[in-house]
Amino acid sequence: MADTLIDDVGGLLREAADDVVVPLFRKLDDADITEKAPGELVTVADRKAEELITAGLRRLRPGSVVVGEEAVAEDPELLRHLHGGGDVWLVDPIDGTANFAAGRRPFALMVALLTDGEPAAAWVFDPMAGTFATARAGHGTRLDGRPVRAAADAPPVGALRGTAMTRFLPPADRAAAETGGERIGELLPGQHCAGREYLDLLTGRQQFVLFWRTLPWDHAPGVLLVREAGGVARRFDGADYHPADEGRGLLVAASEEIWAEAREALVAH
């Protein structure tokens, strides 16, 4: 991997934010917001940002494949590339589109690079907060240019602070999370932006986050950031998360001990 890749892709995301995403924030007309599936919004900003990012990534790595959220909505067969070789980019041009469309924060721009099927690098950028996290496999995570480690100490369950995204959980899992949440020191409702949840885990604002839906562009970038910072990302059954695999839920935590405490409290057994 070229030494400049982190900076090059970071510059590309800043360009997309500066030229497309931020200028359209709170400037969208009704015609600029549509449904690509029931309850799933897409805006003109999502499409334009993905086009810009996709073109830039292909210039950086000629011959690479880009699997973007909006492109997959048009052609689901693109997901087959996650099982292939070579360089494959996962792109979420605006993570938190519902927030963006409603004129709310947070939202983020996210990219992950898979090389021969394995996560190799990640970028998550919250342009309104100015927070940018990057990671390279085996080389750690940087937050706003500085090395960062996830919180290593594991407080008792009653002192934990984290998020449980319960909206899409099956009824039994939702009941378990809601009941177990009473044991957690502070259980947050979620921000409808996976990228921001991962950033908040890195900053120490929270120590874990639980998801049900695990679309690859939503989680491949953040999972690598957390793992390279010393954290843990596993399915509810304990299997390690991989963006090409399907599994039940996802629990991400700042440490092994915190993951075990949160799973015991929140996941149906």
Side-chain angles (χ1 to χ4, degrees):
M1 184 184 303
D3 290 339
T4 62
L5 188 64
I6 290 291
D7 291 339
D8 289 344
V9 176
L12 184 59
L13 293 189
R14 291 187 186 276
E15 178 186 353
D18 291 345
D19 293 355
V20 176
V21 178
V22 174
L24 287 171
F25 184 48
R26 297 176 177 159
K27 300 290 196 306
L28 298 174
D29 298 325
D30 289 344
D32 295 328
I33 306 168
T34 57
E35 277 193 334
K36 58 186 175 183
E40 294 288 334
L41 298 180
V42 61
T43 74
V44 65
D46 293 85
R47 298 189 193 281
K48 288 183 176 180
E50 183 165 306
E51 289 171 4
L52 187 156
I53 294 166
T54 296
L57 294 174
R58 286 174 175 159
R59 285 194 302 269
L60 290 174
R61 286 286 175 93
S64 62
V65 175
V66 181
V67 179
E69 178 179 6
E70 308 315 329
V72 170
E74 299 293 330
D75 180 11
E77 283 297 308
L78 286 171
L79 288 171
R80 72 184 186 278
H81 293 291
L82 300 187
H83 299 274
D87 289 332
V88 178
W89 305 95
L90 279 162
V91 176
D92 193 340
I94 302 178
D95 177 54
T97 294
N99 289 345
F100 183 85
R104 297 191 303 264
R105 300 167 56 182
F107 52 88
L109 291 77
M110 307 199 297
V111 170
L113 173 64
L114 308 183
T115 298
D116 295 332
E118 293 304 316
W123 298 257
V124 175
F125 179 37
D126 178 343
M128 303 307 292
T131 310
F132 208 143
T134 62
R136 290 178 57 179
H139 294 272
T141 297
R142 289 182 173 268
L143 183 65
D144 297 327
R146 296 181 296 275
V148 64
R149 297 291 292 176
D153 295 335
V157 169
L160 285 179
R161 174 185 171 94
T163 297
M165 308 287 286
T166 60
R167 177 184 172 192
F168 295 105
L169 286 172
D173 293 275
R174 182 183 304 162
E178 290 174 348
T179 300
E182 298 175 1
R183 298 168 52 196
I184 300 291
E186 187 172 3
L187 192 64
L188 307 171
Q191 303 175 78
H192 308 290
C193 175
R196 188 66 241 183
E197 301 291 357
Y198 284 106
L199 292 174
D200 284 352
L201 202 151
L202 294 175
T203 65
R205 182 178 181 272
Q206 60 187 6
Q207 295 146 320
F208 69 86
V209 58
L210 179 149
F211 303 95
W212 179 254
R213 298 201 334 173
T214 56
L215 297 168
W217 43 80
D218 284 339
H219 298 287
V223 164
L224 186 61
L225 292 176
V226 169
R227 284 177 173 164
E228 286 295 313
V232 177
R234 298 197 184 107
R235 300 291 188 178
F236 288 178
D237 64 2
D240 282 337
Y241 168 83
H242 188 282
D245 297 336
E246 295 183 4
R248 181 169 166 262
L250 177 62
L251 179 60
V252 185
S255 71
E256 189 79 48
E257 294 76 14
I258 292 171
W259 190 91
E261 288 182 346
R263 181 179 185 274
E264 179 62 30
L266 300 172
V267 175
H269 299 292

